[in-house]
Amino acid sequence: MMKVYTGNQTGGTPGLLPQPYFWWEAGSMFGQLIHYWSLTGDSSYNDVVSEAIQFQVGANNDFMPQNQTKDLGNDDQVFWAFTAMDAAELGFPNPPSSDPSWLSLAQAVFNDQVLRWDTGACNGGLRWQIYPFNAGYDYKNTISNGGLFQLAARLARYTGNQTYADWAEKTYDWIAGTPIIGANYQVWDGSSRTGNCSGAVETYWTYNVGTLISGCAYMYNFTNGNATWGTRLSGLVNNGTSVFFVKTAGLNNPPVQAPPGGMIMSEVACEFPTPQTCDPDEPSFKAYLSRWLAVTTQLAPWTTQFIMPLLTASAQAAAAQCTGQATNMCGRRWYQTVWDGYFGVGEQMSAMSVFQNLLIGKVAAPVTAQKGGTSVGNPAAGGAGDNQQPSSGQVALGRVVGTGDKAGAGILTALSLILIIGATWWMIV
């Protein structure tokens, strides 16, 4: 994975991946490396991660750098905020006092995004895009709104500030009040402002349900086991895992469609077609679902006995896909027992995430300001909303609208601690 990254080399730009990878995926990759450090204790990449994050904070310290603002969506910005929250919650080494703190960066993004809350249609919600000249400006997608929900929930738990909790509740209620969430907790991709959010784009993506699962888990923990949040969490986990975990399709190449109702994670919307339709972003989505399911077991331990067998089976299946080009290149279709010929940053991230998150039972839950957290916040950070206009000389990258507890301890006997750490390191290099 890090062989692709050149931002730490002479002439490179810290924090950026080369084309065809978008800016937001680079941010999520550094979050992955923070989790790697937390789960394994290997600090080899910490300096590279810190440099990359700080280089991309922008003039207002809110992850709106001038080299990206013309093409920036709310979902892009929030993924960098997730990485900053990862750093705060996992006790990642703090930056020098001359640089913005991890917590203040996440707070800045929150303050930006609540100013963009759009009551002009659909009775609220965030648009996908920040600027009206970008395709998707009239689309209210799940990952942008679910991203704000998750960010608010995490800030509430970390700081104890009720304002963040109120926004988490408000955002979840808005999502649940639209066709984006079905009666049985189906999670669709988004809804159009032009139709006043009267329908939904009925495409399933792992990161959409994942961000809602994570947000509900944080709110469940923050509210000390509130039954409403527990019911929401249970419904989302049950539906999401029934959709995105399939049975093996064996040696078929190209494979038949994998049977549903299994234990192997799949990005069903783009992996099932032959040829596959995944764009450069989408192979990374399983990384986030793995990460967010794993942290859910820490925040709501009763989910462990259900979630960890799924992650373990997925990790075992993914290992069979990591034989590409006679090296450590991982494919996409984990339910297929031979390498499918695909590889890239997203594929490596997803395999790495499901491997390393088998260690989640060995580490402490995310810290808070009251219990172990050392990142100092700034509640007034950011807050520029839409007012940071891109310069005329910037080049847009052309995004388009996509349709795109102890129970867990026994599970880890399937793979030894040393093998998991070794396999995870193997994904990075």
Side-chain angles (χ1 to χ4, degrees), residues 112-123:
D112 281 0
Q113 296 203 346
V114 296
L115 290 179
R116 301 180 190 133
W117 190 257
D118 170 37
T119 58
C122 309
N123 197 33

Side-chain angles (χ1 to χ4, degrees), residues 287-354:
Y288 320 129
L289 181 59
S290 295
R291 183 187 308 174
W292 293 332
L293 285 174
V295 77
T296 293
T297 68
Q298 296 181 305
L299 300 171
W302 51 269
T303 64
T304 301
Q305 59 185 334
F306 182 64
I307 288 173
M308 289 310 299
L310 296 172
L311 294 183
T312 300
S314 295
Q316 292 171 332
Q321 274 291 315
C322 294
T323 59
Q325 298 185 342
T327 63
N328 63 343
M329 294 293 101
C330 298
R332 298 172 185 169
R333 289 168 166 149
W334 296 348
Y335 54 83
Q336 181 181 333
T337 54
V338 293
W339 181 50
D340 61 8
Y342 292 92
F343 62 92
V345 170
E347 289 85 351
Q348 297 299 103
M349 283 178 58
S350 289
M352 175 184 172
S353 182
V354 77

Side-chain angles (χ1 to χ4, degrees), residues 56 125 152 182 205 211 227 241 247 264 279 287 349 355 367 382 396 406 420:
Q56 294 297 322
W205 297 109
T211 195
T241 54
K247 298 177 181 177
I264 302 171
D279 69 16
M349 283 178 58
F355 292 155
V367 301
K406 297 179 182 178
I420 296 170

Side-chain angles (χ1 to χ4, degrees), residues 29-52:
M29 184 184 78
F30 297 115
Q32 180 103 329
L33 290 170
I34 291 171
H35 280 264
Y36 168 76
W37 162 79
S38 175
L39 290 164
T40 68
D42 182 0
S43 61
S44 301
Y45 298 96
N46 285 12
D47 290 344
V48 172
V49 170
S50 294
E51 176 193 44

Side-chain angles (χ1 to χ4, degrees), residues 76-230:
D76 303 314
Q77 187 187 28
V78 84
F79 265 89
W80 283 87
F82 290 162
T83 291
M85 279 306 301
D86 291 338
E89 291 173 340
L90 300 179
F92 193 68
N94 288 314
S97 58
S98 57
D99 293 331
S101 71
W102 307 130
L103 179 59
S104 70
L105 288 168
Q107 290 172 311
V109 173
F110 171 85
N111 289 336
D112 281 0
Q113 296 203 346
V114 296
L115 290 179
R116 301 180 190 133
W117 190 257
D118 170 37
T119 58
C122 309
N123 197 33
L126 280 181
R127 298 172 184 262
W128 175 19
Q129 297 295 332
I130 297 172
Y131 299 112
F133 48 74
N134 282 329
Y137 184 65
D138 286 330
Y139 190 52
K140 296 191 174 182
N141 62 339
T142 304
I143 194 59
S144 294
N145 288 280
L148 176 59
F149 164 58
Q150 183 193 146
L151 179 61
R154 293 171 73 171
L155 285 168
R157 181 180 178 275
Y158 189 93
T159 67
N161 189 322
Q162 184 62 36
T163 299
Y164 296 125
D166 292 345
W167 266 99
E169 184 89 48
K170 176 178 180 176
T171 308
Y172 184 89
D173 286 347
W174 179 84
I175 297 169
T178 71
I180 290 173
I181 295 183
N184 296 314
Y185 291 96
Q186 307 97 318
V187 179
W188 306 118
D189 188 63
S191 190
S192 175
R193 189 181 186 276
T194 56
N196 202 35
C197 298
S198 58
V201 175
E202 295 187 355
T203 305
Y204 283 121
W205 297 109
T206 52
Y207 75 162
N208 284 333
V209 70
T211 195
L212 296 181
I213 287 171
S214 177
C216 286
Y218 274 94
M219 288 303 293
Y220 176 83
N221 189 274
F222 173 71
T223 58
N224 297 311
N226 175 273
T228 297
W229 287 113

